[in-house]
Amino acid sequence: MGLQPLEFSDCYLDSPWFRERIRAHEAELERTNKFIKELIKDGKNLIAATKNLSAAQRKFAHSLRDFKFEFIGDAETDDERCIDASLREFSNFLKNLEEQREIMALSVTETLIKPLEKFRKEQLGAVKEEKKKFDKETEKNYSLIDKHLNLSAKKKDSHLQEADIQVEQNRQHFYELSLEYVCKLQEIQERKKFEFVEPMLSFFQGMFTFYHQGHELAKDFNHYKMELQINIQNTRNRFEGTRSEVEELMNKIRQNPKDHKRASQFTAEGYLYIQEKRPPPFGSSWVKHYCMYRKAAKKLNIIPFEHRSGGKLGDGEVFFLKECTRRHADSIDRRFCFDVETADRPGVSLTMQAFSEEERKQWLEALGGKEALFHSFNRAIVPRPEGSAQLDKMGFTILRKCISAVETRGINDQGLYRVVGVSSKVQRLLSMLMDVKTCNEVDLENSPDWEVKTITSALKQYLRSLPEPLMTYELHGDFIVPAKSGSPESRVNAIHFLVHKLPEKNKEMLDILVKHLTNVSNHSKQNLMTVANLGVVFGPTLMRPQEETVAAIMDLKFQNIVVEILIENHEKIFRTLPDATLPEPVSLSTSPPNAPPRQSKRQGQRTKRPVAVYNLCLELEDVDNARLPKEDTPPSSLDSLSSPSSTAAAAHGPPGPDRNHLLTDGGSFEDWPSTVPSQARPSTVQWLNPQSPTTPSCNPALTPPSPKLSPFPLSLPATIVDKPPESVINRKARAVYPCEAEHSSELSFEIGAIFEDVQTSREPGWLEGTLNGKRGLIPQNYVKLL
């Protein structure tokens, strides 16, 4: 309930409740006053920050204008020149934008700050003055009444009458002042709504004007931006070609660095640490030198150089070699050492240290060194202990005990498997479970000593501690491939096939675990662990590459997708055998023929899949289309979104996996139909698990149109597929491939189906035709015109 109204009649009663209501109004006005005061302060800070931002943007623009790219070689391409000039264009754009920002900052003072200050001083200030008068008059009135009531009744009547008149006049004055104060209080409560909000409206109108002008500047800049994208794409493509050559050379050097040494005037050169002896109190120090030796002249140049001090080059020295001897490890507390005796300093040797034993041998060979006599000591080689977690009978016992406890005690716990247990407790439980003596004594289902989060963390820790991930290193890449490409059904088929390639124990344990995770996801309304959330948790647990690289980290999201597919299709994957008629999924080097890209306005809805929610919120439903490009578009694709062809694809094709690939990891992975002769099939191409050997999906193409990628099957005889003319009107056509429609606007058909009234569609690569009384879209590379 809001503030209670102040009745004028209550001014004459002046009851305690009336005074409480007045105090409530006063407190509200005081709160409003403080809020406006703070808002004015924030507004001034905003103006100052805007000015600072504008100054920083101008400084940034100035820096862009002054910078110039240096290029390797003696000339630039036209694209590189345009890229070089782009920094000045960016600078001019920012300069124009900041001019508009400064205008906005100046208007804030006039439209927001001054009106609020005026309202606060004139209106709220006036109420404060009225309050002072009211409080003062209240004190005076009741003091006079107290004094008047204390008058003796024995005084003269004239004196008492005069006192009565005076008290009455003062009370009337107090009532009038009270009425005015109450009126003012209620007036200001109503006035503040528009007096405060109107300046705010003006302020936001100024902001909208600024952003609109920025939008207009961006529209003017758009044409240049599109041209620059083409320049960048051309430069990127050249860079990719050059980089492949450079990487090939780098790999050759990496494999055989000795065979690719630069020609040098020195017999040996490289870094060595040299011992510098000092007076007894100070001991000795080791200083890094770059050493160069000419064997013919027996001349040794050493130059002190320290990388950590910014690459400071010291004064070099030159010595003439007399003798070099390998230093025995027992005589010095450092490895890889040898002594050099010089002709310049007879009797004084330099002790040098190489970076490794191999480098020491190379230096000794170059310097003509000899071996010192020493005794060798055999050192016992202590094998590195391996993790005790194994995929054995004990492991299955651990898995089943943990799963049984979780399903009995905590299947509805929010954040199940995402909320982690205390590390020390998890380690203690896992140690007890992995010990044959104590495993059977651990009661996870009834003992209150072990929390559910401790049990789930121990289960995950066991799986992570296996010498090899449950889904094996060998098949890791094969599992990732279908997660990146293909239709939903082809992904399931591929993973179905790969799961049955796992070792029997791995498959059995994976079956038990995934069945449990399916049960967990079925309770997602209570535990908030959707399939996607479980994929986030168990993707890195069940799958990991043998080598940890940045690329492997980038594939983490695809590991999650694999786990999601396992959970969503547990019964099919683990309870049925893969279709033997489907080709074995392999890593793709080229794409199969795809149906042409569909325009986004005709795109149907894909299978909905909940997205991972890290804050344990309820699953989001219709987000698949929004997240696919982020998850499945490789950042290093040659055909980036800034290219002209991909720009067209963005306008005409739906978002999907690997849109940016030209010839790799794209498409919906159909097999060649049985009608295609074996000699016409590309021998090096296999694609991922079609929906059937004769039923390729007519899923919209997941690769953008490119002059390098024909929409028709490569190497097919003209008798099998004829390219339709650019304009087709009222023709008949026969299906040479079967197709299953994925959208309501498409037609499904088998080989040999006859289409009536075939016409060219507005969508590139598609035809419109009628089959069995239904009209719809047909991929033109699936039919032959009659």
Side-chain angles (χ1 to χ4, degrees), residues 351-460:
T351 301
M352 299 183 173
Q353 183 184 24
F355 285 5
S356 66
E357 181 61 32
E358 183 181 357
E359 290 191 20
R360 176 167 67 171
K361 289 180 180 179
Q362 292 173 359
W363 276 103
L364 287 172
E365 181 181 353
L367 297 171
K370 59 184 180 181
E371 294 285 337
L373 297 175
F374 62 95
H375 298 284
S376 62
F377 298 89
N378 293 327
R379 297 183 180 181
I381 299 176
V382 180
R384 188 172 66 179
E386 297 182 358
S388 57
Q390 297 295 329
L391 197 62
D392 52 12
K393 183 177 180 181
M394 180 61 68
F396 279 91
T397 302
I398 294 172
L399 185 74
R400 289 189 174 98
K401 284 179 73 75
C402 291
I403 288 177
S404 177
V406 170
E407 295 194 348
T408 302
R409 297 174 52 192
I411 195 70
N412 293 323
D413 287 5
Q414 288 192 3
L416 188 65
Y417 284 107
R418 187 181 287 281
V419 178
V420 297
V422 179
S423 178
S424 58
K425 293 183 179 180
V426 173
Q427 292 296 337
R428 186 159 63 92
L429 174 59
L430 191 56
S431 299
M432 295 177 67
L433 289 172
M434 296 175 69
D435 190 338
V436 179
K437 299 178 181 178
T438 59
C439 180
N440 293 329
E441 299 175 2
V442 179
D443 184 5
L444 298 180
E445 295 188 19
N446 302 309
S447 175
D449 296 338
W450 306 111
E451 297 178 280
V452 173
K453 63 182 181 181
T454 305
I455 299 172
T456 57
S457 298
L459 173 58
K460 290 187 295 180

Side-chain angles (χ1 to χ4, degrees), residues 438-573:
T438 59
C439 180
N440 293 329
E441 299 175 2
V442 179
D443 184 5
L444 298 180
E445 295 188 19
N446 302 309
S447 175
D449 296 338
W450 306 111
E451 297 178 280
V452 173
K453 63 182 181 181
T454 305
I455 299 172
T456 57
S457 298
L459 173 58
K460 290 187 295 180
Q461 184 62 39
Y462 162 73
L463 294 171
R464 284 194 292 265
S465 301
L466 291 171
E468 186 179 29
L470 201 57
M471 297 175 74
T472 72
Y473 290 131
E474 181 182 357
L475 294 177
H476 176 83
D478 295 338
F479 275 113
I480 292 294
V481 169
K484 290 183 176 180
S485 310
S487 64
E489 186 172 353
S490 67
R491 292 182 180 186
V492 174
N493 290 336
I495 292 174
H496 187 189
F497 184 90
L498 292 169
V499 164
H500 286 265
K501 288 183 66 176
L502 289 170
E504 194 60 36
K505 285 186 177 181
N506 297 59
K507 187 177 72 172
E508 182 182 353
M509 181 170 285
L510 186 64
D511 180 10
I512 296 170
L513 178 64
V514 173
K515 180 180 179 182
H516 166 62
L517 296 182
T518 303
N519 189 23
V520 172
S521 67
N522 291 336
H523 293 77
S524 60
K525 289 186 178 180
Q526 292 78 30
N527 58 37
L528 304 184
M529 293 304 292
T530 61
V531 172
N533 282 335
L534 292 171
V536 171
V537 174
F538 280 91
T541 301
L542 300 178
M543 298 179 64
R544 63 179 183 273
Q546 195 158 10
E547 182 182 5
E548 294 183 4
T549 62
V550 175
I553 296 174
M554 294 301 177
D555 281 344
L556 187 64
K557 52 184 173 287
F558 301 115
Q559 297 174 194
N560 303 345
I561 292 175
V562 171
V563 175
E564 291 177 29
I565 292 172
L566 290 174
I567 297 173
E568 290 173 338
N569 302 274
H570 170 262
E571 287 297 320
K572 175 181 178 179
I573 291 174

Side-chain angles (χ1 to χ4, degrees), residues 22 46 60 146 314 448 574 636 698 717 733 739:
I22 287 180
L46 175 62
F60 181 70
D146 290 343
F574 291 96
S636 60
C698 55
C739 178

